[in-house]
Amino acid sequence: MSKRIVIIGGGLAGTTAARELSDRGQAVTVIDPRAGETCERPPLSKHLFDGARHHLPYHLESTEHITFVRDWAEEITLAEAAADSRYTAETQRHPHSLSNHHATAGTIHLASGESIDFTHCILATGMEANREQIPHYPDALPVYDLGDAEWILDQVAKSDHLLNVGVLGSGYLGMEVATSAVAAGHQATVYLRGDEPLRRQLSAPVRRALVEKHAAAGVEFVTHTASPDDIRADVHELFITSVGARPRLIPIDGHRPAYAWDVDESLATSHPGVYAAGDCATVTAGPYALDHPWACEPVAESHGKFLAELLADTPTDVVEVDEKSHTDSREDGAESASGAGPKIWSDVPWHWSFQGPEKVFTAGLTSPDADDTIIRHDPTGAKFQVFHFDGPDPESKLVGVETFNWPPMQAAARRVLGGNHIPTRAQLEDPDFDFKAHSRL
């Protein structure tokens, strides 16, 4: 039978997978209300106030191999679904019909009432912002999608004076908004529930360095804000919220996970033929397993590339269900067609955040609670890296690196973590150890 690969979601993970599959000559359908017109988030928060380009579109054109379906996917039923749900107008107009409809893994049901069969489905539905209501600022918006960002940009453009900006939330996006506002001459106040920003993202040395820099630049922090009701009225002319986001999820045979889709080291869900990528996936196995979605653009892109390679190399007779366990037989792509063995997502995950003039990066596995790290500064003392290890012993291996205002050393960290010469704690404790030179081995 021929493959029918369907991607639900047109963000970075879905767009990357579609482009890579198309380049390999594999037909793919992308389901998204704005398929081909989506954009990445980071510039939305980084450039709201400086007049720079505020978003970068994910350019993708419908081609011989890429079909857009601009609709909402509402539900997936697996192969046990009634056969008559499969023969719809959308199915018939797809340019690459299946030779054996009984071998499909399942059916995607759309808001329009149509449905599409698949042999492989990639869930790349991304996240949607939590929309906290601020009683005294009913126009408060998150800065998580293009529509909201354009409304905020319009308010900034229409103002004939510098603004007083309030920000609820102190994660990456909130801090980027506040620091970009101050860098452009506006006032900015960050309200946070705890006593310091970025508590869930970065280790204490990096958090402290950022707070010191931002406070010196003019960002005000109001700590221990227990409720949005505590934020005073008539202070801010523009209010932006950044209080987290949740994955967009559609049910599969009536099941919807509590938070995100758990996937294995090959990004496969427990449902045969169904994979998840990017912000809606929690990787539970492999070298970069985590207890929550990675939720960053480089990982989304990496997931898309990985699944394109995996599925392009998957035999067509892939969907075999174990009647006893009701799980797939791992012939769905965990091994390559050439028998090269299991394929595991193992790209080094990394993230960047530009907060006004300050730049912070992470690579690999880092923990905000780590207290057994090693810190190495540049000769001026202004730039530094925080090294995380898999244990306290001298021979413990490096597993992650945070980099503050030192982009070349972030590149070195990614090379080291992705290479075959992982340094130990003892090596990095040696003041004569040249980490940058080591990255070239």
Side-chain angles (χ1 to χ4, degrees), residues 53-67:
R53 187 179 186 187
H54 61 277
H55 76 282
L56 298 174
Y58 297 140
H59 294 295
L60 188 67
E61 302 290 337
S62 58
T63 66
E64 174 188 358
H65 296 303
I66 298 174
T67 299

Side-chain angles (χ1 to χ4, degrees), residues 190-220:
V190 177
Y191 297 87
L192 54 157
R193 290 190 174 92
D195 58 1
E196 59 182 345
L198 298 160
R199 179 62 186 82
R200 297 182 180 179
Q201 290 84 12
L202 299 169
S203 67
V206 184
R207 295 196 303 266
R208 287 194 295 264
L210 283 170
V211 169
E212 182 179 331
K213 293 281 190 181
H214 296 334
V219 178
E220 295 186 20

